[in-house]
Amino acid sequence: MNQTPEIIENNEVIEIVSQYLDLTVTPFGNDIRTVIRVDKREAMYNGNGTVYLLQMFGVEELVNNRIGAYMVFLNKDDQAGFHTHGTRNEQELYIVMQGEGEYADRTGVTGTIRAQKIRKGSITAVNNNGFHSVKNTTNSPLIIFVITTNEPKK
């Protein structure tokens, strides 16, 4: 069976990440599985390079959760640019699983940028009118687990 270039690329990304992490998901009441799909984002939020999202859960599988995925920056300077989740009434958590990078946040579009080094074990959070960005600063992959929750509308 011939595989498309997209499938080959997705499998290569999963293989690289598997060198650092176990990609097994054990959802209660369902079969044990791995990555559901890989989303490739070029210049994500006007950032640089390529970001891969390894989606670990299906749509509406988790309560009040839009995303439960690994965000993968394979190359130095790959970046997700500044973006907000406030317009969707979300909070987003980043948990660094592997690698090092720079996380930056600010209040609103023109707020003062606060940047800090992140590494394995670092956790960040953003909500409301906060904007955030992340960038790989090394030649090793930066792998972040992302949890995006939706606050119920009142």
Side-chain angles (χ1 to χ4, degrees), residues 9 40 104 106 116 118 126 135 154:
E9 180 180 10
K40 180 180 178 180
R106 67 179 186 223
Q116 68 178 32
I118 54 173
V126 69
K135 177 171 108 173
K154 297 174 181 160

Side-chain angles (χ1 to χ4, degrees), residues 25-89:
V25 177
T26 308
F28 180 75
N30 293 308
D31 293 336
I32 296 171
R33 63 168 192 259
T34 187
V35 177
I36 289 179
R37 74 174 194 277
V38 177
D39 297 332
K40 180 180 178 180
R41 306 276 177 86
E42 299 288 351
M44 187 173 181
Y45 300 115
N46 295 314
N48 298 313
T50 304
V51 178
Y52 297 91
L53 294 171
L54 279 58
Q55 301 292 346
M56 306 306 287
F57 297 94
V59 176
E60 298 185 20
E61 185 175 355
L62 301 173
V63 176
N64 289 335
N65 192 1
R66 189 173 68 84
I67 295 175
Y70 288 103
M71 186 165 48
V72 180
F73 304 80
L74 292 178
N75 303 301
K76 184 175 183 178
D77 296 325
D78 283 349
Q79 174 191 34
F82 275 104
H83 61 284
T84 185
H85 295 271
T87 57
R88 293 188 299 258
N89 211 31

Side-chain angles (χ1 to χ4, degrees), residues 71-123:
M71 186 165 48
V72 180
F73 304 80
L74 292 178
N75 303 301
K76 184 175 183 178
D77 296 325
D78 283 349
Q79 174 191 34
F82 275 104
H83 61 284
T84 185
H85 295 271
T87 57
R88 293 188 299 258
N89 211 31
E90 297 173 335
Q91 180 176 35
E92 187 162 77
L93 305 172
Y94 287 170
I95 304 159
V96 179
M97 306 301 293
Q98 173 65 37
E100 296 181 1
E102 181 182 88
Y103 176 84
D105 61 16
R106 67 179 186 223
T107 301
V109 175
T110 59
T112 302
I113 295 173
R114 175 179 68 166
Q116 68 178 32
K117 181 179 178 177
I118 54 173
R119 59 189 173 94
K120 186 175 181 177
S122 297
I123 300 173

